[in-house]
């Protein structure tokens, strides 16, 4: 009780600040980015593929049709929701969150993502993209799981880190091509819980080529999931 009192006292004494630029926030904005940081994050263009959220080159293109890649080689997931483009301030925030021990960025990033999700999103379970145990010990937390837990609180949908596991260590994906990424992650994911008939929202921080979420989705669907959709904070324009 004394500890809780101390936290409440400190919260009143210290005004909330933007977790990215540290500008002072209004009390109502606690747990989110400031207005300046938020407006500097480039939203996903209206013209984008509804399946993988890839922005179209021409802004006048219709967002009701699939991109060429999704037509020729459809991914296992049926839709992607992305909060913004993976560049500028959002890229900075995600890199701090993921690589520089800033787990406190989970809530403001999840707030951005939650605003992107349809109000009538119809899913039974949130599943974070898993980390291998070795990588988890290095990083000390799975950023996708932190995001999923925050979304779970906001939407009232359960989340589970035990459904999908990464069963072997793989090379970092950042410098690999799409083909190399798929080879690198081949058979790296396994199902560890029953998902029969479940409608699943797969949660991650960033989508680049979409290989990781595609392979995770295939594992979930092979295990009996009814459908898999994807939610990411940042979508990298290819």
């Amino acid at each position: 009780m004394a500890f809780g009192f101390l936290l409440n006292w400190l919260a009143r004494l210290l005004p909330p600040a933007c977790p990215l630029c540290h500008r002072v926030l209004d009390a109502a904005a606690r747990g989110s980015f400031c207005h300046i940081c938020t407006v500097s994050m480039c939203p996903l263009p209206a013209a984008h593929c509804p399946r993988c959220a890839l922005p179209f080159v021409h802004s006048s293109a219709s967002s009701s049709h699939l991109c060429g890649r999704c037509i020729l080689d459809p991914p296992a997931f049926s839709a992607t929701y992305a909060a913004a483009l993976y560049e500028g301030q959002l890229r900075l925030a995600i890199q701090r969150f993921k690589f520089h021990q800033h787990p406190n960025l989970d809530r403001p990033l999840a707030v951005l993502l939650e605003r992107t999700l349809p109000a009538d999103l119809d899913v039974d379970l949130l599943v974070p993209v898993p980390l291998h145990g070795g990588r988890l010990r290095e990083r000390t937390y799975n950023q996708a799981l932190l995001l999923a837990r925050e979304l779970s609180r906001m939407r009232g949908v359960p989340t589970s880190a035990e459904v999908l596991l990464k069963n072997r260590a793989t090379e970092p994906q950042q410098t690999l091509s799409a083909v190399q990424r798929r080879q690198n992650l081949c058979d790296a994911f396994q199902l560890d819980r029953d998902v029969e008939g479940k409608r699943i929202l797969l949660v991650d921080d960033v989508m680049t080529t979409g290989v990781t979420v595609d392979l995770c989705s295939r594992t979930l669907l092979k295990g009996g999931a009814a459908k898999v959709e994807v939610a990411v904070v940042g979508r990298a324009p290819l």
Side-chain angles (χ1 to χ4, degrees), residues 41-49 52-55 80-85 116 234-236:
M41 297 175 184
C42 301
L44 196 70
H48 64 267
C49 175
C52 73
L54 180 68
T80 298
Y81 308 106
L85 294 177
T116 307
R235 180 53 163 108

Side-chain angles (χ1 to χ4, degrees), residues 207-223:
M207 179 190 288
T208 305
T209 63
V211 168
T212 300
V213 289
D214 182 37
L215 293 176
C216 287
S217 299
R218 291 182 189 277
T219 302
L220 292 164
L221 291 169
K222 186 177 179 180

Side-chain angles (χ1 to χ4, degrees), residues 18 20-21 23 25 33-41 89:
C18 174
L20 196 55
C21 71
R23 291 185 179 89
L25 299 171
F33 295 114
C34 71
H35 177 71
I36 294 175
C37 285
T38 300
V39 298
S40 70
M41 297 175 184
Q89 284 293 85

